[in-house]
Amino acid sequence: MNGSSIKNVYKEIFKSYDNPSLEKHIEKIIELDTFLPYSSTFFCITNTQSLTFEYISKNMPACLGLDKKTLEKKGMRYFWSRMHPDDLEEWLQALNDLMDFTLNNTKVEDRKRMSYTWNYRLKNSSDDYVNIVQNTTPLGFDSDFKPIIGLAHYTVLSPEIKLQVCATAKLLNEKNEYETIYFNNCSQKLLSAGISNRERDIVRLLVLNYSSKQIGDKLNISPNTVDTHRRNILKKLNISSTGELIGMLKMNEHFI
């Protein structure tokens, strides 16, 4: 898939008829970036209509070794050109599925409280592919309330970690906790087992070492119900213990 094809598919996914301005958001984020420490993460403000980065944080060159001015000038198409070719089609499909889910399965008033996560491999300045986990929160919407401007947070992980391309949508609920409402393309074992979104929420909290009681409190269900879900999860995956489950999923904890 060449750059022109990627651009056409991407622009179709995020097709819109207006371009909201985020000058005040950008000003505040630039101010914040001045005080943030250097780390293995960076963030950008992405514009899916102009295919540009409205802002790139200071950590990007430290994380990837890429030239910030080049990325600002060439925009998303340059960024895409550095993606692993084996990940491109799956990545575009993940974005398309997330957008379809958002427009068809979420209320307009909920879209400001959504958070989206997906992943891919990207070539750094040393021409080595590293794993990128991208989490994007919508900041701006078009007239149909389609998210087109976002605050994208990128976490750089070792290439030794084997990750499948997958996509997650979470909603900030009334308890100010992110609840998984969409998940696609996790490990084949999980997909074939038919793990539900509620079960994924329980697995996510188990990985964080929460007890059944703590999980019940967070999800507003009884500890007995949590234990029932735990037994069903183990049965579906044909494994014998929660410890084995956590070990199997530790490498994929960003997407649980």
Side-chain angles (χ1 to χ4, degrees):
M1 181 176 288
N2 58 35
S4 177
S5 298
I6 297 170
K7 174 185 174 182
N8 291 338
V9 175
Y10 190 91
K11 294 205 75 167
E12 183 63 29
I13 294 171
F14 293 102
K15 185 177 180 181
S16 178
Y17 299 99
D18 48 17
N19 295 281
S21 171
L22 286 176
E23 291 181 2
K24 291 189 179 297
H25 278 94
I26 295 173
E27 288 175 4
K28 294 296 183 183
I29 290 171
I30 292 173
E31 290 175 9
L32 175 65
D33 189 32
T34 303
F35 300 99
L36 292 177
Y38 285 98
S39 67
S40 60
T41 66
F42 64 96
F43 65 86
C44 301
I45 295 179
T46 58
N47 186 325
T48 62
Q49 297 305 288
S50 61
L51 304 183
T52 58
F53 295 101
E54 301 286 345
Y55 181 71
I56 300 171
S57 74
K58 66 184 181 185
N59 275 0
M60 190 281 295
C63 290
L64 298 175
L66 302 180
D67 181 64
K68 184 176 177 179
K69 290 184 179 179
T70 299
L71 192 56
E72 289 172 337
K73 180 180 179 180
K74 296 186 177 181
M76 292 184 180
R77 279 172 284 187
Y78 171 70
F79 195 77
W80 298 336
S81 73
R82 304 192 70 85
M83 281 188 180
H84 196 294
D86 291 345
D87 291 349
L88 283 172
E89 291 190 19
E90 291 181 354
W91 163 73
L92 283 170
Q93 185 62 51
L95 292 186
N96 186 67
D97 291 345
L98 280 174
M99 189 56 60
D100 282 346
F101 175 82
T102 298
L103 297 180
N104 297 318
N105 299 91
T106 66
K107 298 176 182 178
V108 168
E109 59 267 27
D110 286 340
R111 294 178 190 171
K112 291 183 178 180
R113 298 186 290 117
M114 296 290 290
S115 176
Y116 304 95
T117 303
W118 58 87
N119 68 293
Y120 44 85
R121 289 170 290 176
L122 191 82
K123 189 186 296 181
N124 62 20
S125 61
S126 300
D127 287 337
D128 295 321
Y129 284 105
V130 295
N131 286 301
I132 301 289
V133 177
Q134 180 175 340
N135 178 269
T136 296
T137 302
L139 295 178
F141 301 82
D142 68 8
S143 56
D144 293 323
F145 227 74
K146 184 178 188 177
I148 58 173
I149 306 257
L151 175 60
H153 182 268
Y154 305 80
T155 300
V156 182
L157 300 176
S158 166
E160 302 300 320
I161 300 174
K162 304 301 180 184
L163 298 175
Q164 293 185 0
V165 176
C166 54
T168 303
K170 295 184 180 182
L171 174 68
L172 190 65
N173 61 27
E174 293 78 7
K175 299 175 70 176
N176 285 326
E177 296 172 346
Y178 276 109
E179 175 185 352
T180 302
I181 60 173
Y182 174 85
F183 190 97
N184 189 26
N185 236 15
C186 190
S187 70
Q188 292 300 313
K189 191 169 185 181
L190 280 180
L191 285 175
S192 63
I195 299 297
S196 69
N197 283 333
R198 172 59 84 191
E199 289 168 339
R200 292 186 194 281
D201 285 331
I202 289 172
V203 170
R204 175 171 54 86
L205 294 171
L206 286 172
V207 170
L208 295 175
N209 297 319
Y210 285 106
S211 66
S212 290
K213 184 180 184 308
Q214 290 171 318
I215 293 172
D217 290 342
K218 285 186 170 294
L219 300 180
N220 199 27
I221 57 179
S222 73
N224 287 336
T225 300
V226 175
D227 287 337
T228 298
H229 280 304
R230 291 174 67 162
R231 288 193 295 270
N232 289 338
I233 292 167
L234 296 180
K235 183 176 180 180
K236 287 179 179 181
L237 298 179
N238 193 29
I239 54 181
S240 59
S241 69
T242 301
E244 184 180 351
L245 170 66
I246 293 173
M248 184 181 77
L249 293 171
K250 270 292 188 182
M251 301 305 287
N252 289 309
E253 62 185 290
H254 293 276
F255 312 108
I256 297 168

